[in-house]
Amino acid sequence: MQLRKTRWSLYNLNYHFVWIPKYRRKILIDEIKDELEKLIHKIAKKHKIEVLSLSIQPDHIHLFVSAPPRLAPAQIANLFKGISSKKLLEKFPHLKTKEG
């Protein structure tokens, strides 16, 4: 067990998040998958979250992270889902359509 520390505490808080694209479409492949992986690592680094495991399947994502206690699990999920969704839709506008 690896303890991490902040100025005021020692902690080991790990979270497992699983989420799906809208309508569980199998769109997380090829360049979209690569871009999503880069985005998740970039978001984690910016917010001082350690990615312990990441598995991107064509229709869902498993993300296992260690996060500081200042972030609630809902905030962490919102960070990853919201930012990655926005950036992917900007880069791949065809994902906005249901056929995408």
Side-chain angles (χ1 to χ4, degrees):
M1 175 173 65
Q2 176 68 27
L3 288 178
R4 296 175 64 197
K5 66 194 259 190
T6 65
R7 191 171 178 185
W8 299 278
S9 63
L10 289 173
Y11 67 93
N12 182 26
L13 296 172
N14 299 321
Y15 302 103
H16 180 213
F17 298 102
V18 179
W19 71 95
I20 62 170
K22 194 168 186 177
Y23 308 116
R24 199 162 186 138
R25 296 184 310 177
K26 296 182 187 311
I27 57 171
L28 303 174
I29 54 173
D30 304 326
E31 69 273 356
I32 297 171
K33 178 181 178 178
D34 297 337
E35 184 65 22
L36 178 59
E37 189 167 350
K38 286 182 213 166
L39 282 169
I40 287 175
H41 286 285
K42 186 176 177 182
I43 295 164
K45 184 176 181 181
K46 181 179 179 184
H47 295 280
K48 296 181 173 74
I49 297 170
E50 183 183 354
V51 176
L52 301 174
S53 176
L54 173 63
S55 174
I56 302 173
Q57 304 301 315
D59 66 343
H60 68 283
I61 299 125
H62 285 268
L63 177 62
F64 190 58
V65 297
S66 177
R70 64 181 165 76
L71 294 172
Q75 289 174 304
I76 299 166
N78 286 339
L79 280 171
F80 285 111
K81 290 176 65 180
I83 296 170
S84 64
S85 173
K86 183 178 183 215
K87 299 290 185 185
L88 285 176
L89 288 173
E90 286 172 2
K91 188 163 183 171
F92 304 101
H94 68 277
L95 294 177
K96 290 181 183 176
T97 65
K98 191 170 181 180
E99 290 78 40

